[in-house]
Amino acid sequence: MQRRQFLLNSLATATALSAATPSTRLATPDESRQRKKLRVGIIGCGRMGQYFTEVYRALPDTELVAIAEWNDARREIVGKRFGVKALFKDVNAMLREVVPDIAAVITPTKFMKEAVIACAEAGVKGVSTDKPIAARLSDADAMVDACEKRNVVFAGGNLQRAMWEVQHAGRRLRNGDYGPVKGAVVHRFGGEISGGGCQHLSVLRLFTGAEVEEVMAWGQPAEALDQETDEGLEINGFFRMTSGIDCQVFGQETPYRGVDAWTDSTLVRWDWAPPDIHESSGSGARKKIAANYPPFPWRYILDRPSLRLTDNYLVSSIRSFVDAVATGSDLFISGHDLRQALEIAIASKLSAQLGNQPVKLPLEDRSLALYPRPYRWLGGDVTGRPQSEDEASGKKPQA
């Protein structure tokens, strides 16, 4: 089968899957306590990796068994902090001695592909990675393909798409509770359209239950279009969705910061918080109403001293991942979701570079790349933001 046809078939399958009503079910704490513990290896235990590790340590059905961390001093400090004795310099050294059930890859983006594929090939049951998944689209393809080939659960990481309330809002929209989705808008798609912009793109796909099939974009400033990274790039334009709606995209500042989706009767607005629900009145104006989201069953974990209230979507992301490995349930955020976000970001910049010419997805050229800012690509140790030993030990709040 030719590559183009394969990609089109993959998109059709993904669209059909995304159109299905998502599950917002998570195991309860009581249910989790009855399960056999899954063994967890952490790969990359810098600032964000430590937040992941805190959550895994708090769950009743996971057990930390290994940490791979290239920074020698930090490796010893975090090992002591989390009570883990199996400490390794890198993922390959870890996998030679320990093959966990779950591997959480929280390295800088440059090193994610090697770690994800190594874990999949070693027999790990579930692998997660953080954002952005890659710079080059073919690298994201390789990770997704390696996990699919071996029936490995491939999860995404710390994205607001996984927030409990965002998932419930998405379920209501896609279940038709408010009627068919008629339109959507992305606000402030700028600054870093792959690193941070994957947040917007992942929520957009969830709310609309559709994929982006065509991009028409304008980019500014001009110097940002000429560089390899997504730093400082603002994108304005349109995303045409497979559902038939056109999503307007604003790169510049608007009164809002996230994603709107609406039906004839209801507007759902995600603005980097639990989504607001606005209902149309008889006059045509919309009035905010109570969202009435169910209580988040894992809220108590956020009371741990080293976690933040804003880690609520990290907790729900990890919880859905653990459930998926244990029972085959739905992921709140997947590696496929992160790949789709990268592809849309690459297509947006490409369209802008071509003078706002329409760009069809899936992209035929899988060698196209969009690099995140250096901190995301290489990590703080290399880019002048090293973590102090007090931070790594948990004695001092992280910067």
Side-chain angles (χ1 to χ4, degrees), residues 12 22 54 57 86 116 168 198 207 283 287 306 360-361 363:
E54 284 284 7
R57 180 166 68 165
V116 168
H168 276 273
C198 61
F207 280 6
S283 64
K287 181 177 70 173
S306 296
K360 298 280 189 180
L361 281 78
L363 293 168

Side-chain angles (χ1 to χ4, degrees), residues 11-12 14-20 22 161 170 173-174 181 184 200-214 239-247 336-337 340 344:
L11 177 60
T15 301
L17 290 173
S18 69
R161 174 184 165 122
L173 282 166
R174 294 167 65 175
V181 176
H200 299 75
L201 299 174
S202 297
V203 172
L204 173 68
R205 293 175 55 251
L206 176 72
F207 280 6
T208 60
E211 299 289 355
V212 175
E213 66 176 5
E214 184 178 273
F239 297 150
R240 177 150 293 167
M241 312 300 294
T242 53
S243 59
I245 67 171
D246 284 337
C247 171
H336 169 74
D337 293 324
Q340 295 303 96
I344 298 164

Side-chain angles (χ1 to χ4, degrees), residues 181-203:
V181 176
K182 295 297 183 68
V185 169
V186 171
H187 298 280
R188 302 195 201 182
F189 190 49
E192 43 172 353
I193 64 171
S194 70
C198 61
Q199 298 272 16
H200 299 75
L201 299 174
S202 297
V203 172

